[in-house]
Amino acid sequence: MTLSSKLSDPRLFRQYAYVDGKWTHGDGNREEAVVDPATGETLGHIPWLESHQITAAVDAAEAAFVHWRALRADERCERLLAWYDLLQANREDLALIMTLEQGKPLPDARGEVEYGASFVRWFAEEGKRTFGETIPSHIPNAALGTLKEPVGIAALITPWNFPLAMITRKAAAAMAAGCTVIVKPAGETPYSALALAELAERAGIPAGVFNVVLGDPPEVSRILCAEERVKALSFTGSTRVGRLLLEQSANTVKRVSLELGGNAPFIVGPDMDPREAAFAAVAAKFQTAGQDCLAADRILVHESIHDDFVAHFAERMAALTVGNGLESEVDLGPLIHRQAVEKAAAIVDDAISKGATLMAGDQSQAPGENFFMPVLLTGVTANMKIWHEESFAPVAGITAYADDDQVIEMANDTEYGLAAYLYTHDIRRIWKVLRALEFGMVAVNSVKMTGPPVPFGGVKHSGLGREGGVTGIDEYLETKYYCLGALGSVSGS
Ligand code: NAD
């Protein structure tokens, strides 16, 4: 059965790039298979565009920019809200496409469609609030102020773990600001991006405003970074590739926003109920089978409740079901591909060889070659890979600590600085640790922290800039200062 025959609306399954409002074949006959990670079945193929076709996408985005930026903000808002409505109306098909290409359980995929759509609605409205300023003048007879203007074409390069939301969080902000966009999705998960393009077209978003290019990642990125006409680059993905793109964008002095890797500490204070904290830690660790930049990678538990915490964590973890995301009651789908499984196994082996204890995790129970059974390690220390690298897998590592100063030092002992979790009800501890953590986002007594109204992003090697919130749209706006001089006597100058 083909993917399209499983959808209520088969036209949401597109196997071509989308450039200038047209479904586009690759000129060079290069293509790539897209595989269901749960079954290994080929879902379809996508073309790899040639370099002149990537340049043609820039031409299209440049031509469309003239008209798109000239629309009133409320006109752009209407089109974006129509896109939002279509995302909601097609939620089931979008979720199914996502589960098939990414592997996450269907309820999680539905949640991501909801989450991704919520950014479209948020930024549709924010586009109407890109206010400039009036500046009290220090120059006689002059009026001073600022205008907010769209930066121009934005290139958006996105990962496979959130195939829809990582696109809408960028594209909706850029388009609301008046920019046109060229999206380069991950090769593993192109169909969610292409379904977004189909729905953008139906929503009346003009040709050339939202383009999706497909191709060899280093080649496409190199062209987009070197393109003078591309004024902003927004990337979500690994720190390794983020660094590369920052370097490649230097010659054209682009606006660069980077949402990179995380290595979140999950700190549990001595006053916590170990059961409550352990259940929260399981939720923060195993979402998307651990393939999440917000995953609780280093679980740091006060020594006084460590053993109880470990017991409750193991009990909760044992209740997780691993399987094909299309089946009901599945908590963890497959990892994205075989290399991810091998990396996870290597991280576990490294930890055990350096003294960690394997409390649970029997890989012989894995229901397929891309699946990785949840692993619990205790006695994790700073000389292990699991301490410094994102495992991007369902591998939980627990470490005991003695006091707040020690745990702050442990938590900050990483090049990453995306998100951190803190569980304690002691207000003095909350304030001390919250202030000392070198992370862009800190969730206290909550696993859920993201959504449209908040500034999402990291410090250190986790990135540059913020997505969402009232500042997310600024990544796509220039500030133009004006000085209107020789006005005669101006009141207030
Ligand atoms: P990745 O860096 O391998 O790929 C991301 C994108 O870059 C994809 O579109 C890919 O095709 C492209 N790419 C890959 N190699 C490239 C190269 N050499 N040159 C140019 N482009 C290249 O990341 P991934 O494996 O798809 O995603 C996982 C990473 O994303 C993790 O590190 C995770 O923490 C991070 N992430 C961060 C956030 C955040 O908001 N901070 C959100 C989701 C994922």
Side-chain angles (χ1 to χ4, degrees), residues 157-162 166 169 184-188 215-222 235-242 244-245 248 258-262 291-294 336-337 390 392 416 418 441 456-458 462 467:
I157 301 178
T158 55
W160 48 261
N161 61 341
F162 290 93
M166 295 302 99
R169 200 164 74 176
K184 207 297 282 171
E188 293 87 345
D216 176 46
E219 186 182 322
V220 175
S221 304
R222 222 176 5 252
F235 171 77
T236 297
S238 61
T239 297
R240 179 185 70 80
V241 176
L244 205 72
L245 300 185
Q248 289 177 4
L258 301 173
E259 294 289 349
L260 309 178
Q291 304 170 111
D292 190 330
C293 55
L294 302 180
I336 191 69
H337 37 49
E390 281 183 298
F392 240 54
Y416 296 106
L418 188 60
M441 301 178 282
F456 188 105
S462 286
E467 292 190 334

Side-chain angles (χ1 to χ4, degrees), residues 301-316:
V301 183
H302 193 267
E303 58 192 12
S304 62
I305 59 165
H306 173 270
D307 294 354
D308 284 349
F309 179 95
V310 169
H312 289 299
F313 192 100
E315 175 206 329
R316 184 69 168 175

Side-chain angles (χ1 to χ4, degrees), residues 150-413:
V151 292
I153 302 171
L156 314 177
I157 301 178
T158 55
W160 48 261
N161 61 341
F162 290 93
L164 188 141
M166 295 302 99
I167 295 176
T168 54
R169 200 164 74 176
K170 299 177 188 305
M175 288 154 69
C179 296
T180 53
V181 306
I182 301 171
V183 180
K184 207 297 282 171
E188 293 87 345
T189 56
Y191 295 136
S192 296
L194 296 168
L196 280 174
E198 169 67 27
L199 295 175
E201 184 173 303
R202 291 186 201 173
I205 290 171
V209 173
F210 182 87
N211 304 279
V212 180
V213 296
L214 306 167
D216 176 46
E219 186 182 322
V220 175
S221 304
R222 222 176 5 252
I223 295 168
L224 293 173
C225 290
E227 237 317 328
E228 194 65 59
R229 293 174 294 167
V230 172
K231 298 298 182 193
L233 171 79
S234 180
F235 171 77
T236 297
S238 61
T239 297
R240 179 185 70 80
V241 176
R243 283 194 193 105
L244 205 72
L245 300 185
L246 185 59
E247 234 176 87
Q248 289 177 4
S249 298
N251 273 343
T252 52
V253 194
K254 274 188 215 329
R255 184 81 73 86
V256 178
S257 315
L258 301 173
E259 294 289 349
L260 309 178
N263 183 5
F266 188 105
I267 302 170
V268 183
D271 59 302
M272 276 308 295
D273 169 6
R275 185 168 186 272
E276 181 191 337
F279 281 25
V282 167
K285 173 64 230 182
F286 295 110
Q287 192 74 16
T288 326
Q291 304 170 111
D292 190 330
C293 55
L294 302 180
D297 279 330
R298 292 171 301 139
I299 301 169
L300 310 172
V301 183
H302 193 267
E303 58 192 12
S304 62
I305 59 165
H306 173 270
D307 294 354
D308 284 349
F309 179 95
V310 169
H312 289 299
F313 192 100
E315 175 206 329
R316 184 69 168 175
M317 195 180 93
L320 297 173
T321 309
V322 179
N324 187 320
L326 294 180
E327 290 161 13
S328 57
E329 311 294 320
V330 162
D331 300 299
L332 274 72
L335 299 191
I336 191 69
H337 37 49
R338 188 69 204 157
Q339 297 93 291
V341 172
E342 283 159 12
K343 180 181 167 194
I347 281 183
V348 172
D349 289 348
D350 170 80
I352 293 170
S353 75
K354 292 174 182 161
T357 305
L358 178 67
M359 304 293 290
D362 177 2
Q363 299 313 321
S364 70
Q365 302 299 311
E369 75 157 6
N370 287 347
F371 290 86
F372 199 79
M373 300 305 287
V375 167
L376 173 57
L377 295 165
T378 56
V380 164
T381 50
N383 61 338
M384 300 174 186
K385 279 185 186 165
I386 188 175
W387 188 275
H388 297 286
E389 291 180 21
E390 281 183 298
S391 68
F392 240 54
V395 180
I398 300 181
T399 305
Y401 71 87
D403 59 38
D404 291 343
D405 291 331
Q406 187 191 19
V407 81
I408 289 167
E409 205 182 311
M410 284 174 161
N412 289 337
D413 178 25

